Amino acid sequence: MKRYDLKNQTFGRLTVIEATDKRADRKIVWKCQCSCGNIAYVHSVNLIHGITKSCGCLARELSSERFKKFMKENSKIKDITGQVFGRLTALEATEKRECSSVVWKCKCSCGNIAYVSSHSLTKGSVNSCGCLQKEVSYQNIQRFQKENFFENTNVTLLSKKEPNKNNKIGIRGVCFDTRLNKYLAYITFKKKRYNLGVFSNKEEATKIRKEAEEKFFGEFLEWYNSEIKSKKAKS
């Protein structure tokens, strides 16, 4: 028998039938029959070095055996297969752990697969793949806009006195232009910015800004509170 003639030799569950015309890294790919009856095509190196011992059935059996052993060793684990937690249905336990809690493979009602610990499922801290949180977040945004926006204007911000965090002057609607070495006053109303002028000192810019607030915000808020907000409260 030639050195590399593997015909009729057995490697694990594989018995070599014949060489094929296929090559991998210049090595022969052999046609083999597995003890389970399946045909497999295996690289000669994988046969000789025991890398491939079956058509794949051995790996599946070992995986199944590991899972059975895992379940036996953890027989105290509560079986929640098929149970529904919010939008999640527990499909099967995995070998993963999260703070000693079994991680379950679950299917969400939206169709996505999620891996969630039994503790999170039974305590109700996780009840979807994440789709529920997104929906709730979207609903909260819609509710906030409905309650606080009117004509593209965030009414709550009109009453705000504090400047934005990136405002170094400390006065809302006033900033310092380093190129002009002067103060700028501005006001934004209904998504439109109005430039109120350029001033040599902060006090003058602040005064103009306050006057603009009374004109833009004051009149609008007075009308809004009496006409719109009261109607919302009644509804």
Side-chain angles (χ1 to χ4, degrees):
M1 181 176 62
K2 295 182 180 179
R3 183 181 177 185
Y4 296 108
D5 186 3
L6 305 181
K7 187 175 180 179
N8 297 325
Q9 293 190 49
T10 301
F11 302 88
R13 295 186 176 185
L14 296 172
T15 299
V16 180
I17 299 174
E18 61 184 4
T20 69
D21 294 332
K22 297 179 182 178
R23 295 292 184 272
D25 297 328
R26 298 182 179 181
K27 302 295 182 181
I28 299 173
V29 174
W30 294 83
K31 180 180 179 181
C32 307
Q33 184 169 32
C34 186
S35 59
C36 70
N38 289 334
I39 296 296
Y41 294 87
V42 188
H43 190 296
S44 58
V45 172
N46 290 348
L47 288 169
I48 294 170
H49 293 283
I51 299 172
T52 304
K53 299 179 180 179
S54 74
C55 65
C57 60
L58 179 60
R60 290 191 293 270
E61 288 176 16
L62 290 175
S63 178
S64 177
E65 289 173 4
R66 283 197 300 270
F67 182 72
K68 288 178 181 178
K69 182 180 178 182
F70 159 75
M71 292 302 292
K72 185 177 180 181
E73 292 176 349
N74 297 275
S75 57
K76 293 182 180 180
I77 295 174
K78 184 179 179 181
D79 186 6
I80 57 174
T81 304
Q83 292 188 36
V84 179
F85 303 88
R87 297 186 176 185
L88 295 172
T89 300
L91 299 180
E92 60 182 7
T94 71
E95 295 182 7
K96 296 179 181 179
R97 292 289 185 277
E98 186 177 295
C99 299
S100 73
S101 180
V102 179
V103 174
W104 285 77
K105 180 181 179 181
C106 306
K107 186 172 184 179
C108 185
S109 58
C110 72
N112 289 334
I113 295 296
Y115 292 87
V116 188
S117 70
S118 57
H119 176 80
S120 298
L121 289 170
T122 54
K123 296 298 180 181
S125 56
V126 178
N127 45 33
S128 77
C129 65
C131 60
L132 180 60
Q133 290 84 344
K134 291 178 183 177
E135 289 177 17
V136 171
S137 178
Y138 178 71
Q139 290 171 0
N140 288 338
I141 291 173
Q142 285 188 315
R143 189 184 305 113
F144 176 82
Q145 290 179 337
K146 183 178 180 181
E147 294 175 353
N148 299 280
F149 277 74
F150 183 79
E151 295 183 353
N152 295 323
T153 300
N154 188 344
V155 179
T156 57
L157 290 180
L158 299 183
S159 304
K160 181 182 176 183
K161 302 299 182 182
E162 301 80 11
N164 295 329
K165 292 181 179 180
N166 58 356
N167 187 314
K168 298 180 181 179
I169 301 300
I171 300 172
R172 190 178 177 206
V174 176
C175 64
F176 184 75
D177 192 318
T178 55
R179 294 174 299 175
L180 300 175
N181 198 32
K182 292 182 181 295
Y183 292 89
L184 305 180
Y186 60 91
I187 193 167
T188 302
F189 186 60
K190 292 184 178 180
K191 290 190 175 182
K192 184 177 180 180
R193 174 166 168 154
Y194 298 88
N195 293 317
L196 305 176
V198 182
F199 306 92
S200 300
N201 58 74
K202 181 171 66 175
E203 290 73 20
E204 190 175 356
T206 302
K207 179 183 177 183
I208 295 299
R209 162 66 192 206
K210 295 295 183 184
E211 291 176 356
E213 281 185 22
E214 292 177 6
K215 178 176 178 59
F216 283 94
F217 298 168
E219 294 177 4
F220 178 83
L221 284 174
E222 183 179 354
W223 169 80
Y224 176 83
N225 289 330
S226 61
E227 298 294 329
I228 305 301
K229 193 173 182 180
S230 59
K231 291 181 180 179
K232 285 186 177 180
K234 292 178 180 178
S235 60

